[in-house]
Coordinates of all heavy atoms in Angstrom, one line a residue:
M1 N -192.6 -118.3 148.0 CA -193.5 -118.1 149.2 C -193.6 -119.3 150.1 O -193.9 -119.2 151.2 CB -194.9 -117.8 148.6 CG -195.1 -116.4 148.0 SD -194.9 -115.1 149.2 CE -196.4 -115.2 150.1
T2 N -193.3 -120.5 149.5 CA -193.4 -121.7 150.3 C -192.3 -121.8 151.4 O -191.1 -121.7 151.0 CB -193.4 -122.9 149.4 OG1 -194.4 -122.8 148.4 CG2 -193.7 -124.2 150.3
K3 N -192.7 -121.9 152.6 CA -191.8 -122.1 153.6 C -191.8 -123.5 154.1 O -192.9 -124.1 154.1 CB -192.0 -121.2 154.8 CG -191.8 -119.7 154.5 CD -192.0 -118.9 155.8 CE -192.0 -117.4 155.5 NZ -190.8 -117.0 154.7
T4 N -190.7 -124.1 154.5 CA -190.7 -125.4 155.0 C -190.8 -125.3 156.5 O -189.9 -124.9 157.2 CB -189.4 -126.1 154.6 OG1 -189.3 -126.1 153.2 CG2 -189.5 -127.6 155.1
L5 N -191.9 -125.8 157.0 CA -192.1 -125.8 158.4 C -191.8 -127.2 159.0 O -192.2 -128.2 158.4 CB -193.6 -125.4 158.8 CG -194.0 -124.0 158.5 CD1 -195.5 -123.8 158.8 CD2 -193.2 -123.0 159.4
K6 N -191.1 -127.2 160.1 CA -190.9 -128.4 160.7 C -192.1 -128.8 161.6 O -192.6 -127.9 162.4 CB -189.7 -128.4 161.6 CG -188.4 -128.3 160.8 CD -187.2 -128.3 161.8 CE -185.9 -128.2 161.0 NZ -184.7 -128.2 161.9
T7 N -192.7 -129.9 161.3 CA -193.9 -130.3 162.1 C -193.7 -131.4 163.0 O -194.6 -131.9 163.7 CB -195.0 -130.7 161.1 OG1 -194.6 -131.7 160.2 CG2 -195.5 -129.5 160.3
T8 N -192.4 -131.8 163.2 CA -192.1 -132.8 164.2 C -191.1 -132.1 165.2 O -190.3 -131.3 164.8 CB -191.5 -134.0 163.6 OG1 -190.3 -133.7 162.9 CG2 -192.5 -134.8 162.7
S9 N -191.3 -132.5 166.4 CA -190.4 -132.0 167.5 C -190.1 -133.1 168.5 O -191.0 -133.9 168.7 CB -191.1 -130.8 168.1 OG -190.3 -130.3 169.1
V10 N -188.9 -133.1 169.0 CA -188.6 -134.0 170.1 C -188.9 -133.3 171.4 O -188.2 -132.3 171.7 CB -187.1 -134.4 170.0 CG1 -186.8 -135.4 171.1 CG2 -186.8 -135.1 168.6
I11 N -189.9 -133.8 172.1 CA -190.3 -133.1 173.3 C -189.6 -133.8 174.5 O -189.6 -135.1 174.5 CB -191.8 -133.0 173.4 CG1 -192.2 -132.1 174.5 CG2 -192.4 -134.4 173.5 CD1 -193.7 -131.7 174.4
N12 N -189.0 -133.1 175.3 CA -188.3 -133.6 176.5 C -189.1 -133.4 177.8 O -189.4 -132.3 178.1 CB -186.9 -133.0 176.6 CG -185.9 -133.7 175.7 OD1 -185.6 -134.8 175.9 ND2 -185.5 -132.9 174.7
C13 N -189.4 -134.5 178.5 CA -190.1 -134.3 179.7 C -189.1 -133.8 180.8 O -188.1 -134.3 181.0 CB -190.6 -135.7 180.2 SG -191.3 -135.7 181.8
P14 N -189.5 -132.7 181.4 CA -188.7 -132.1 182.5 C -188.7 -132.9 183.7 O -187.9 -132.7 184.6 CB -189.4 -130.7 182.7 CG -190.8 -130.9 182.3 CD -190.8 -131.9 181.2
G15 N -189.6 -133.8 183.8 CA -189.7 -134.6 185.0 C -188.8 -135.8 185.0 O -188.0 -136.1 185.9
C16 N -188.8 -136.6 183.9 CA -188.0 -137.8 183.9 C -187.0 -137.8 182.8 O -186.2 -138.7 182.7 CB -189.0 -139.0 183.7 SG -189.7 -139.1 182.1
G17 N -187.0 -136.8 181.9 CA -186.0 -136.7 180.9 C -186.3 -137.6 179.6 O -185.6 -137.6 178.7
Y18 N -187.5 -138.2 179.7 CA -187.9 -139.0 178.5 C -188.2 -138.1 177.3 O -188.8 -137.0 177.4 CB -189.1 -139.8 178.9 CG -189.6 -140.7 177.8 CD1 -189.1 -142.0 177.6 CD2 -190.7 -140.3 176.9 CE1 -189.5 -142.8 176.6 CE2 -191.1 -141.2 176.0 CZ -190.6 -142.4 175.8 OH -191.0 -143.3 174.8
S19 N -187.7 -138.5 176.2 CA -188.0 -137.7 175.0 C -188.8 -138.5 174.0 O -188.6 -139.7 173.8 CB -186.7 -137.2 174.3 OG -185.8 -138.3 174.0
A20 N -189.7 -137.8 173.3 CA -190.5 -138.5 172.4 C -190.7 -137.6 171.2 O -190.8 -136.4 171.3 CB -191.9 -138.8 173.0
V21 N -190.7 -138.2 170.0 CA -190.9 -137.4 168.8 C -192.5 -137.3 168.6 O -193.2 -138.3 168.6 CB -190.3 -138.2 167.6 CG1 -190.6 -137.4 166.3 CG2 -188.8 -138.3 167.8
E22 N -192.9 -136.0 168.5 CA -194.3 -135.8 168.3 C -194.5 -134.9 167.1 O -193.7 -134.1 166.7 CB -194.8 -135.0 169.5 CG -194.8 -135.9 170.8 CD -195.8 -137.0 170.7 OE1 -196.7 -137.0 169.9 OE2 -195.6 -138.0 171.5
T23 N -195.7 -135.1 166.5 CA -196.0 -134.3 165.3 C -196.8 -133.1 165.9 O -197.8 -133.2 166.6 CB -196.9 -135.1 164.3 OG1 -196.1 -136.2 163.9 CG2 -197.3 -134.2 163.1
M24 N -196.5 -131.9 165.4 CA -197.1 -130.7 165.8 C -198.2 -130.3 164.8 O -198.0 -130.3 163.6 CB -196.1 -129.6 166.0 CG -195.1 -129.8 167.0 SD -193.9 -128.4 167.1 CE -193.0 -128.6 165.6
P25 N -199.4 -130.0 165.3 CA -200.4 -129.5 164.4 C -200.0 -128.1 164.0 O -199.4 -127.3 164.8 CB -201.7 -129.4 165.3 CG -201.2 -129.4 166.7 CD -199.9 -130.1 166.7
V26 N -200.2 -127.7 162.7 CA -199.8 -126.4 162.3 C -200.9 -125.3 162.6 O -200.6 -124.1 162.4 CB -199.5 -126.4 160.7 CG1 -198.4 -127.4 160.4 CG2 -200.8 -126.8 160.0
D27 N -202.0 -125.8 163.0 CA -203.1 -124.8 163.1 C -203.6 -124.8 164.6 O -204.7 -124.3 164.8 CB -204.3 -125.1 162.2 CG -204.8 -126.5 162.3 OD1 -204.1 -127.3 163.1 OD2 -205.8 -126.9 161.7
A28 N -202.9 -125.3 165.5 CA -203.3 -125.3 166.9 C -202.1 -125.3 167.8 O -201.0 -125.7 167.4 CB -204.2 -126.5 167.1
C29 N -202.3 -124.9 169.0 CA -201.2 -124.9 170.0 C -201.5 -126.0 171.0 O -202.7 -126.1 171.4 CB -201.0 -123.6 170.7 SG -200.2 -122.4 169.6
I30 N -200.5 -126.8 171.3 CA -200.7 -127.8 172.3 C -200.4 -127.2 173.7 O -199.2 -126.9 173.9 CB -199.9 -129.0 172.0 CG1 -200.1 -129.5 170.6 CG2 -200.1 -130.1 173.0 CD1 -201.5 -130.0 170.4
N31 N -201.4 -127.1 174.5 CA -201.1 -126.5 175.8 C -201.0 -127.5 176.9 O -200.8 -127.2 178.1 CB -202.3 -125.5 176.2 CG -202.3 -124.3 175.2 OD1 -201.2 -123.7 175.1 ND2 -203.4 -124.0 174.6
L32 N -201.3 -128.8 176.6 CA -201.2 -129.8 177.6 C -200.6 -131.1 176.9 O -201.1 -131.5 175.9 CB -202.6 -130.1 178.2 CG -202.7 -130.9 179.5 CD1 -201.9 -130.1 180.6 CD2 -204.1 -131.1 179.9
Y33 N -199.6 -131.6 177.5 CA -199.0 -132.8 176.9 C -198.6 -133.7 178.1 O -198.1 -133.3 179.1 CB -197.7 -132.4 176.2 CG -197.0 -133.6 175.6 CD1 -197.4 -134.2 174.4 CD2 -195.9 -134.1 176.3 CE1 -196.7 -135.3 173.9 CE2 -195.2 -135.2 175.8 CZ -195.6 -135.8 174.6 OH -194.9 -136.9 174.1
E34 N -199.0 -135.0 177.9 CA -198.7 -136.0 178.9 C -197.5 -136.8 178.5 O -197.5 -137.4 177.4 CB -199.9 -136.9 179.1 CG -199.8 -137.9 180.2 CD -200.9 -138.8 180.4 OE1 -200.9 -139.8 179.7 OE2 -201.9 -138.5 181.1
C35 N -196.5 -136.9 179.4 CA -195.4 -137.7 179.1 C -195.8 -139.2 179.0 O -196.5 -139.7 179.8 CB -194.4 -137.5 180.3 SG -192.9 -138.6 180.1
K36 N -195.2 -139.8 178.0 CA -195.6 -141.2 177.7 C -194.9 -142.1 178.7 O -195.2 -143.3 178.8 CB -195.3 -141.6 176.3 CG -196.1 -140.9 175.3 CD -195.7 -141.2 173.9 CE -196.7 -140.6 172.9 NZ -196.2 -140.7 171.5
N37 N -193.9 -141.6 179.4 CA -193.1 -142.4 180.3 C -193.6 -142.3 181.7 O -193.9 -143.3 182.4 CB -191.7 -142.0 180.2 CG -190.8 -143.0 181.0 OD1 -190.9 -144.2 180.8 ND2 -190.0 -142.4 181.9
C38 N -193.8 -141.1 182.2 CA -194.1 -140.9 183.6 C -195.5 -140.3 183.8 O -195.9 -140.0 184.9 CB -193.0 -140.1 184.3 SG -193.0 -138.3 183.9
Q39 N -196.2 -140.0 182.7 CA -197.5 -139.4 182.7 C -197.6 -138.0 183.4 O -198.6 -137.6 183.8 CB -198.5 -140.4 183.4 CG -199.0 -141.5 182.5 CD -198.0 -142.6 182.3 OE1 -197.4 -143.1 183.3 NE2 -197.7 -142.9 181.1
K40 N -196.4 -137.4 183.4 CA -196.4 -136.0 183.9 C -197.1 -135.1 182.9 O -196.9 -135.3 181.7 CB -195.0 -135.5 184.2 CG -194.9 -134.1 184.6 CD -193.4 -133.7 184.7 CE -193.3 -132.2 184.9 NZ -193.8 -131.8 186.2
L41 N -198.0 -134.3 183.4 CA -198.6 -133.3 182.5 C -197.8 -132.1 182.4 O -197.4 -131.4 183.4 CB -200.0 -133.0 183.0 CG -201.0 -134.1 182.9 CD1 -202.4 -133.6 183.6 CD2 -201.3 -134.4 181.5
M42 N -197.4 -131.7 181.2 CA -196.6 -130.5 180.9 C -197.5 -129.4 180.4 O -198.4 -129.6 179.6 CB -195.6 -130.8 179.8 CG -194.6 -131.9 180.2 SD -193.5 -132.2 178.8 CE -193.4 -134.0 178.8
T43 N -197.2 -128.2 180.9 CA -197.9 -127.0 180.4 C -196.9 -126.0 179.9 O -195.7 -126.1 180.4 CB -198.8 -126.4 181.5 OG1 -198.1 -126.2 182.6 CG2 -200.0 -127.3 181.8
P44 N -197.2 -125.1 179.1 CA -196.2 -124.2 178.6 C -195.6 -123.3 179.7 O -196.4 -122.9 180.6 CB -196.9 -123.3 177.5 CG -198.1 -124.2 177.2 CD -198.5 -125.0 178.4
E45 N -194.4 -123.0 179.6 CA -193.8 -122.0 180.6 C -194.3 -120.7 180.2 O -194.7 -120.4 179.1 CB -192.3 -122.1 180.5 CG -191.8 -123.4 181.1 CD -190.3 -123.5 181.0 OE1 -189.7 -122.7 180.3 OE2 -189.7 -124.4 181.7
S46 N -194.3 -119.8 181.2 CA -194.8 -118.4 180.9 C -194.0 -117.8 179.7 O -192.8 -117.8 179.7 CB -194.7 -117.6 182.1 OG -193.3 -117.4 182.5
G47 N -194.8 -117.2 178.8 CA -194.1 -116.6 177.7 C -194.1 -117.5 176.5 O -193.9 -117.1 175.3
D48 N -194.3 -118.8 176.7 CA -194.3 -119.7 175.5 C -195.8 -120.0 175.2 O -196.6 -120.1 176.0 CB -193.6 -121.0 175.9 CG -192.1 -120.8 176.0 OD1 -191.6 -119.9 175.3 OD2 -191.5 -121.5 176.8
C49 N -196.0 -120.2 173.9 CA -197.4 -120.4 173.4 C -197.8 -121.9 173.5 O -199.0 -122.1 173.5 CB -197.5 -119.9 172.0 SG -196.7 -120.9 170.8
C50 N -196.9 -122.8 173.6 CA -197.3 -124.2 173.7 C -196.2 -125.0 174.2 O -195.1 -124.5 174.4 CB -197.7 -124.7 172.3 SG -196.3 -124.9 171.2
V51 N -196.5 -126.3 174.5 CA -195.5 -127.1 175.2 C -194.3 -127.4 174.3 O -193.2 -127.6 174.8 CB -196.1 -128.5 175.6 CG1 -197.1 -128.2 176.7 CG2 -196.7 -129.2 174.4
F52 N -194.5 -127.3 173.0 CA -193.3 -127.5 172.1 C -192.3 -126.4 172.2 O -191.1 -126.6 172.0 CB -193.8 -127.7 170.7 CG -194.6 -129.0 170.5 CD1 -195.9 -129.0 170.3 CD2 -193.9 -130.2 170.5 CE1 -196.6 -130.2 170.1 CE2 -194.6 -131.4 170.3 CZ -196.0 -131.4 170.1
C53 N -192.8 -125.2 172.4 CA -191.9 -124.1 172.6 C -191.1 -124.2 173.9 O -190.0 -123.7 174.0 CB -192.7 -122.7 172.5 SG -193.4 -122.4 170.9
S54 N -191.7 -124.8 174.9 CA -191.1 -124.9 176.2 C -190.2 -126.1 176.2 O -189.1 -126.0 176.8 CB -192.1 -125.0 177.3 OG -192.8 -123.7 177.4
Y55 N -190.6 -127.2 175.7 CA -189.9 -128.5 175.9 C -189.5 -129.2 174.7 O -188.8 -130.2 174.7 CB -190.8 -129.4 176.8 CG -191.3 -128.8 178.0 CD1 -192.7 -128.5 178.2 CD2 -190.4 -128.5 179.1 CE1 -193.1 -127.9 179.3 CE2 -190.9 -127.9 180.2 CZ -192.2 -127.6 180.4 OH -192.7 -127.0 181.5
G56 N -189.9 -128.7 173.5 CA -189.6 -129.4 172.3 C -188.3 -128.9 171.7 O -187.7 -127.8 172.0
S57 N -187.7 -129.7 170.8 CA -186.5 -129.4 170.2 C -186.7 -128.3 169.1 O -185.8 -127.6 168.6 CB -185.8 -130.6 169.5 OG -186.7 -131.2 168.6
T58 N -188.0 -128.3 168.6 CA -188.3 -127.3 167.6 C -189.5 -126.5 168.0 O -190.5 -127.1 168.6 CB -188.7 -128.1 166.3 OG1 -187.7 -129.0 166.0 CG2 -189.0 -127.2 165.1
P59 N -189.5 -125.2 167.9 CA -190.7 -124.4 168.3 C -191.8 -124.8 167.4 O -191.7 -125.3 166.3 CB -190.2 -123.0 168.0 CG -188.8 -123.0 167.7 CD -188.4 -124.4 167.4
C60 N -193.0 -124.4 167.8 CA -194.2 -124.8 167.1 C -194.3 -124.0 165.8 O -193.6 -123.0 165.6 CB -195.4 -124.6 167.9 SG -195.8 -122.8 168.1
P61 N -195.0 -124.5 164.8 CA -195.1 -123.9 163.5 C -195.4 -122.4 163.6 O -194.9 -121.6 162.8 CB -196.2 -124.7 162.8 CG -196.1 -126.0 163.4 CD -195.7 -125.8 164.8
T62 N -196.3 -122.1 164.5 CA -196.7 -120.7 164.6 C -195.5 -119.8 165.0 O -195.2 -118.8 164.4 CB -197.7 -120.5 165.7 OG1 -198.9 -121.3 165.4 CG2 -198.2 -119.1 165.8
S63 N -194.6 -120.3 165.9 CA -193.5 -119.5 166.3 C -192.4 -119.5 165.1 O -191.7 -118.6 164.9 CB -192.8 -120.1 167.5 OG -193.7 -119.9 168.6
Q64 N -192.4 -120.6 164.4 CA -191.4 -120.7 163.3 C -191.8 -119.6 162.3 O -190.9 -118.9 161.7 CB -191.5 -122.1 162.6 CG -190.8 -123.2 163.5 CD -190.9 -124.5 162.8 OE1 -190.7 -124.6 161.6 NE2 -191.4 -125.5 163.5
L65 N -193.1 -119.5 162.0 CA -193.5 -118.5 161.1 C -193.2 -117.1 161.6 O -192.7 -116.2 160.8 CB -195.0 -118.6 160.9 CG -195.5 -119.7 159.9 CD1 -197.0 -119.8 159.9 CD2 -195.0 -119.4 158.5
E66 N -193.4 -116.8 162.8 CA -193.1 -115.5 163.4 C -191.6 -115.2 163.3 O -191.2 -114.1 162.9 CB -193.5 -115.4 164.8 CG -195.0 -115.3 164.9 CD -195.5 -115.3 166.4 OE1 -194.6 -115.5 167.3 OE2 -196.7 -115.2 166.7
Q67 N -190.8 -116.2 163.6 CA -189.3 -116.0 163.6 C -188.8 -115.8 162.2 O -188.0 -114.9 162.0 CB -188.6 -117.2 164.2 CG -188.8 -117.3 165.7 CD -188.2 -118.5 166.3 OE1 -187.7 -119.4 165.6 NE2 -188.4 -118.7 167.6
S68 N -189.4 -116.6 161.3 CA -188.9 -116.4 159.9 C -189.3 -115.1 159.3 O -188.5 -114.5 158.6 CB -189.4 -117.6 159.0 OG -190.8 -117.6 159.0
S69 N -190.4 -114.6 159.7 CA -190.8 -113.3 159.1 C -189.9 -112.2 159.7 O -189.6 -111.3 159.1 CB -192.3 -113.0 159.4 OG -192.5 -112.9 160.8
Y70 N -189.5 -112.4 161.0 CA -188.6 -111.4 161.6 C -187.3 -111.4 160.8 O -186.7 -110.4 160.5 CB -188.4 -111.6 163.1 CG -189.5 -111.2 163.9 CD1 -190.1 -112.0 164.8 CD2 -189.9 -109.8 163.9 CE1 -191.2 -111.5 165.6 CE2 -190.9 -109.4 164.6 CZ -191.6 -110.2 165.6 OH -192.6 -109.8 166.3
S71 N -186.8 -112.6 160.6 CA -185.4 -112.7 160.0 C -185.5 -112.1 158.6 O -184.5 -111.5 158.1 CB -184.9 -114.1 160.0 OG -185.7 -114.9 159.2
I72 N -186.6 -112.3 157.9 CA -186.7 -111.8 156.6 C -186.7 -110.3 156.6 O -186.0 -109.7 155.8 CB -188.0 -112.3 155.9 CG1 -187.9 -113.8 155.5 CG2 -188.3 -111.5 154.7 CD1 -189.1 -114.4 155.0
V73 N -187.3 -109.7 157.6 CA -187.3 -108.2 157.7 C -185.9 -107.8 157.9 O -185.4 -106.8 157.2 CB -188.2 -107.8 158.9 CG1 -188.0 -106.3 159.1 CG2 -189.6 -108.0 158.5
Y74 N -185.1 -108.5 158.7 CA -183.8 -108.0 159.0 C -182.9 -108.2 157.7 O -182.2 -107.3 157.3 CB -183.2 -108.8 160.1 CG -183.5 -108.2 161.5 CD1 -184.3 -109.0 162.4 CD2 -183.2 -107.0 161.8 CE1 -184.6 -108.5 163.6 CE2 -183.5 -106.4 163.0 CZ -184.3 -107.2 163.9 OH -184.6 -106.7 165.1
E75 N -183.0 -109.4 157.1 CA -182.2 -109.7 156.0 C -182.5 -108.8 154.8 O -181.6 -108.6 154.0 CB -182.3 -111.2 155.6 CG -181.7 -112.1 156.5 CD -182.1 -113.5 156.2 OE1 -182.8 -113.8 155.2 OE2 -181.8 -114.4 157.0
Y76 N -183.7 -108.3 154.8 CA -184.1 -107.5 153.6 C -183.6 -106.1 153.7 O -183.7 -105.4 152.7 CB -185.6 -107.6 153.5 CG -186.1 -107.1 152.1 CD1 -185.8 -107.8 151.0 CD2 -186.7 -105.8 152.0 CE1 -186.2 -107.3 149.7 CE2 -187.1 -105.4 150.7 CZ -186.8 -106.1 149.6 OH -187.2 -105.7 148.4
S77 N -183.1 -105.6 154.8 CA -182.7 -104.2 154.9 C -181.8 -103.9 153.7 O -180.7 -104.5 153.6 CB -182.0 -104.0 156.2 OG -180.9 -104.8 156.3
P78 N -182.2 -103.0 152.9 CA -181.5 -102.7 151.7 C -180.1 -102.1 152.0 O -179.9 -101.3 152.9 CB -182.3 -101.7 150.9 CG -183.2 -101.1 152.0 CD -183.4 -102.1 153.1
K79 N -179.1 -102.6 151.3 CA -177.8 -102.1 151.5 C -177.4 -101.2 150.2 O -178.0 -101.5 149.1 CB -176.8 -103.2 151.6 CG -176.9 -104.0 152.9 CD -175.9 -105.1 153.0 CE -176.1 -105.9 154.3 NZ -175.2 -107.1 154.3
P80 N -176.6 -100.3 150.4 CA -176.2 -99.5 149.2 C -175.5 -100.4 148.2 O -174.8 -101.3 148.6 CB -175.2 -98.5 149.8 CG -175.1 -98.7 151.2 CD -176.0 -99.8 151.6
A81 N -175.7 -100.2 147.0 CA -175.1 -101.0 146.0 C -173.5 -100.8 146.1 O -173.0 -99.9 146.7 CB -175.6 -100.6 144.6
A82 N -172.9 -101.7 145.4 CA -171.4 -101.7 145.4 C -170.9 -100.4 144.9 O -171.6 -99.6 144.2 CB -170.9 -102.8 144.6
N83 N -169.7 -100.1 145.2 CA -169.2 -98.8 144.8 C -168.9 -98.7 143.4 O -167.7 -98.8 142.9 CB -167.9 -98.5 145.6 CG -168.2 -98.3 147.1 OD1 -169.3 -97.8 147.5 ND2 -167.3 -98.8 148.0
Q84 N -169.9 -98.5 142.6 CA -169.7 -98.3 141.2 C -169.8 -96.9 140.8 O -170.8 -96.2 141.3 CB -170.8 -99.1 140.4 CG -170.6 -100.6 140.6 CD -171.7 -101.4 139.9 OE1 -172.5 -100.8 139.2 NE2 -171.6 -102.7 140.0
V85 N -168.9 -96.4 140.1 CA -169.0 -95.0 139.8 C -169.3 -94.8 138.3 O -168.8 -95.6 137.5 CB -167.6 -94.3 140.0 CG1 -167.7 -92.8 139.6 CG2 -167.3 -94.4 141.5
Ligands
LIG101 ZN1 -191.7 -137.9 182.0

């Protein structure tokens, strides 16, 4: 049952290209992030739940959970057993 969630993400500033490693909270979405280099305020792009989904190298833990549950559903589709007679 234990999933390994990545809680760090490299967030890239769309303004200056500066990248910083940030720790993502697993129980909250970050909707506002200030670039440490140029102080540009980043907000999520439409359709993204947080700035890490928009600008980070790793989607936020919430999205990771959603994606992994989807892939499990796909992978779990039962296949017919081998051709044993
Ligand atoms: Zn910046």
Side-chain angles (χ1 to χ4, degrees):
M1 288 293 288
T2 306
K3 293 184 187 308
T4 303
L5 290 174
K6 292 183 178 178
T7 54
T8 56
S9 182
V10 179
I11 191 163
N12 276 295
C13 173
C16 69
Y18 183 82
S19 57
V21 178
E22 293 293 338
T23 300
M24 298 181 284
V26 297
D27 56 353
C29 283
I30 304 298
N31 293 310
L32 195 62
Y33 176 83
E34 185 184 85
C35 174
K36 291 177 178 173
N37 187 52
C38 70
Q39 279 76 51
K40 175 184 173 67
L41 288 175
M42 302 178 219
T43 53
E45 293 178 343
S46 62
D48 289 332
C49 68
C50 71
V51 292
F52 291 108
C53 291
S54 290
Y55 307 110
S57 63
T58 306
C60 72
T62 303
S63 293
Q64 289 178 47
L65 281 174
E66 288 177 355
Q67 288 174 1
S68 60
S69 64
Y70 280 127
S71 68
I72 285 172
V73 170
Y74 278 118
E75 287 171 6
Y76 192 71
S77 57
K79 292 179 180 175
N83 295 325
Q84 294 178 359
V85 180

